Amino acid sequence: MTSPFDRQAACPSCGAPITFRFAGAAAQVCKHCNFVVARTDRNLVAVGRMADLVDIPSPLQLGGTGRWSGGEPFAVDGRVQLDRASAPGAPWQEFFITFPMSGKWCWVASAQGRWYSTSEVPLPPELPSIHALRAGQQINLGTYGVWTVAEVGQRRVISGEGEMPAVASPGVPTGYADIAAPNGAFGTIDYGDGRIPPKLYLGRQIDPAVMVLDSGAPVEAAKAEVTSVACPNCGGNLPLVTPGQTERVVCRYCGMASDLNQGALRALGPAPKPPIEPFIPLGAEGNLRGNRVICIGFTIRGCTVEGERYRWREYLLYAGPRVGYLWLMEEDGAWWLVTPIPPGEVSVSGGAAMLRGQHYNWKQSVRAETEYVVGEFYWKVEIGEAVQATEYEGSGGKVSVEQTAKEVNYSFCERLSASDIGAAFGIKPPAGSLLASGEGGSGCATSGCGTMIIIGVIILFVLLIIFSDCGGGGGGGGVFIGGPSFGGGK
């Protein structure tokens, strides 16, 4: 049954009938030819052809209906899949949610167990150009308040289906800036391809329980089952814990680095194997701070201070779809649990950082570089990738800021004892001084990410790295993911 707002005409590409169900929809992907069809005042115009959809599991499906918090009916009228222009092959997706009774709409997406919703809002009187933005910068958006720039980059629409609130140009790189504010607020400034004015989308992290599907299916992050793939170099069996989020896999047997594409590995080239075995074996399961976790990655990172090289190690943990990724970092026998912090929750000024009303004083800042890596990772990890890592000390732990020219990520480090680690994974507690190192952490995508690090320089025992049992950290995509090039949130 159609509504008074429907508009039906023939697809300008293939001639098939197209009907717009939602009054606010400005474009639709023709289900017959995959062309994006723009809705104008006079007719329909074919904009460009979408690629085939990538299989990304989600409880939200095109055509699904339900009730939002408060009882307002909603419908899933469209979805788009995007990737970063600088790192193709790792798409994410966002859903166009419409509210037929009010005529409103929003974008909904999930990343690393977190759900987000954004809507388009009027532009403030002054909006900085994309060239004036840098990661970690605070910008004033007038009545919308002060926001922190989490990431600046370019992305592309690669595929989609159903309706959408604006015209998407498939494959065209468009500029964006992800921003965040306190209390879970976040947004995206969509700068497009420069030919039209920017758009601003603001929203916040949501509890998926606000969406109750009429089908009765729960709305929560997809629980991907552990699967396995064969290393394209040595044929070794490599279990994958997060196949829907993994972007790069480094073989634990031969060191071949590969990208995960449609369930198979595409070899990129060999990576140097770590000189030591991880103390927590890859695949080890445990219970840490009430979360069931599994160790899926291991990295060694280093920094140079006054001509001396220092190294440390980190373990990437997956804590399930609702918690996402955590890190464990080891420094000279001291262990830290590293947890992501939304960018909007941290304020850095001068020599201090403020988190949840607590002050943390500047301790040090170094250039941290990845030296060794093995396992599966949620970003395209590379040997030699570097970040500027700064730490701030305070009551109960440390605030870490890990920054590149395009992205900034924050984390909080809490001290753990050796017995905590042993009890969590059912292994003999680590003891003694294992490695002269700093401390590091990671967490994106990219967003979202992901990148967090804690650095602490210890001069003693640096020569023990070759035969010691300790290691280093990774860095990667952010927690936040960008809205589509024609709008939306994460």
Side-chain angles (χ1 to χ4, degrees):
M1 183 175 181
T2 61
S3 75
F5 300 106
D6 286 334
R7 178 170 182 171
Q8 185 167 346
C11 171
S13 172
C14 68
I18 287 184
T19 299
F20 284 85
R21 299 193 311 162
F22 182 64
Q28 183 178 133
V29 180
C30 176
K31 64 181 65 176
H32 300 280
C33 67
N34 258 20
F35 262 80
V36 179
V37 178
R39 178 184 185 184
T40 73
D41 292 336
R42 297 181 179 180
N43 54 17
L44 302 182
V45 178
V47 176
R49 190 182 186 280
M50 291 283 199
D52 292 336
L53 288 163
V54 179
D55 184 17
I56 304 177
S58 173
L60 299 178
Q61 300 295 323
L62 185 68
T65 60
R67 290 186 176 273
W68 201 271
S69 177
E72 185 173 8
F74 72 85
V76 183
D77 270 353
R79 69 165 166 165
V80 292
Q81 296 181 335
L82 311 97
D83 66 12
R84 287 178 172 83
S86 60
W92 71 89
Q93 64 187 2
E94 306 192 8
F95 292 87
F96 178 47
I97 305 296
T98 63
F99 301 91
M101 292 183 63
S102 65
K104 296 180 180 180
W105 56 268
C106 67
W107 287 100
V108 169
S110 65
Q112 299 178 23
R114 299 174 180 87
W115 287 79
Y116 306 91
S117 169
T118 59
S119 300
E120 185 177 3
V121 299
L123 290 174
E126 295 184 8
L127 192 68
S129 72
I130 191 170
H131 304 292
L133 297 180
R134 58 176 178 81
Q137 176 183 353
Q138 289 194 323
I139 57 176
N140 192 323
L141 297 182
T143 58
Y144 304 121
V146 176
W147 295 68
T148 299
V149 178
E151 182 178 356
V152 183
Q154 286 189 318
R155 61 191 169 209
R156 306 174 305 169
V157 173
I158 56 174
S159 57
E161 63 178 346
E163 300 183 353
M164 52 199 66
V167 179
S169 299
V172 176
T174 57
Y176 72 95
D178 283 343
I179 57 178
N183 302 316
F186 71 90
T188 296
I189 307 174
D190 175 13
Y191 287 95
D193 59 6
R195 294 182 297 180
I196 60 175
K199 296 179 182 292
L200 177 62
Y201 299 85
L202 298 181
R204 63 182 55 257
Q205 183 176 336
I206 62 172
D207 184 337
V210 303
M211 296 177 286
V212 179
L213 295 176
D214 291 336
S215 66
V219 179
E220 58 186 15
K223 295 181 173 63
E225 296 183 0
V226 176
T227 184
S228 63
V229 291
C231 173
N233 182 55
C234 70
N237 183 60
L238 304 176
L240 292 182
V241 177
T242 60
Q245 302 177 57
T246 296
E247 293 190 19
R248 184 151 293 173
V249 179
V250 180
C251 179
R252 66 183 71 178
Y253 306 112
C254 69
M256 177 61 68
S258 303
D259 277 352
L260 185 64
N261 186 12
Q262 297 293 299
L265 294 181
R266 178 175 61 87
L268 300 173
K273 294 183 64 177
I276 56 174
E277 288 294 322
F279 179 81
I280 303 172
L282 295 184
E285 297 185 49
N287 195 300
L288 190 62
R289 296 289 177 89
N291 295 312
R292 191 67 180 171
V293 298
I294 182 169
C295 181
I296 64 173
F298 171 72
T299 69
I300 296 177
R301 304 176 88 182
C303 66
T304 300
V305 178
E306 297 182 349
E308 296 286 344
R309 189 68 175 174
Y310 305 98
R311 297 176 177 90
W312 61 95
R313 72 178 182 183
E314 296 173 349
Y315 298 84
L316 176 58
L317 309 179
Y318 183 63
R322 284 197 172 271
V323 176
Y325 297 97
L326 303 171
W327 288 85
L328 281 176
M329 186 283 305
E330 188 275 339
E331 171 208 3
D332 195 28
W335 291 82
W336 299 80
L337 173 64
V338 184
T339 305
I341 304 171
E345 302 299 325
V346 180
S347 176
V348 176
S349 178
M354 176 76 75
L355 172 65
R356 304 184 186 103
Q358 297 292 323
H359 283 275
Y360 295 82
N361 295 320
W362 184 92
K363 180 182 180 183
Q364 59 196 341
S365 182
V366 299
R367 176 183 168 89
E369 300 162 336
T370 299
E371 296 187 359
Y372 300 97
V373 59
V374 66
E376 63 177 287
F377 297 86
Y378 55 86
W379 80 100
K380 295 183 184 298
V381 61
E382 294 182 359
I383 302 299
E385 65 182 17
V387 298
Q388 191 65 29
T390 306
E391 69 174 4
Y392 301 84
E393 280 191 320
S395 176
K398 304 175 184 180
V399 171
S400 166
V401 182
E402 187 176 273
Q403 189 166 359
T404 67
K406 298 294 184 181
E407 185 177 1
V408 63
N409 286 276
Y410 303 84
S411 61
F412 187 75
C413 270
E414 300 175 78
R415 185 70 179 268
L416 296 177
S417 68
S419 59
D420 289 333
I421 303 300
F425 292 94
I427 55 181
K428 183 179 179 180
S433 176
L434 299 180
L435 177 65
S437 71
E439 350 170 333
S442 190
C444 84
T446 138
S447 27
C449 204
T451 315
M452 270 58 76
I453 188 167
I454 305 295
I455 305 295
V457 179
I458 308 294
I459 296 178
L460 192 58
F461 305 120
V462 75
L463 296 179
L464 297 181
I465 177 62
I466 296 177
F467 48 86
S468 64
D469 182 22
C470 68
V479 170
F480 294 92
I481 60 174
S485 61
F486 48 92
K490 303 175 174 61

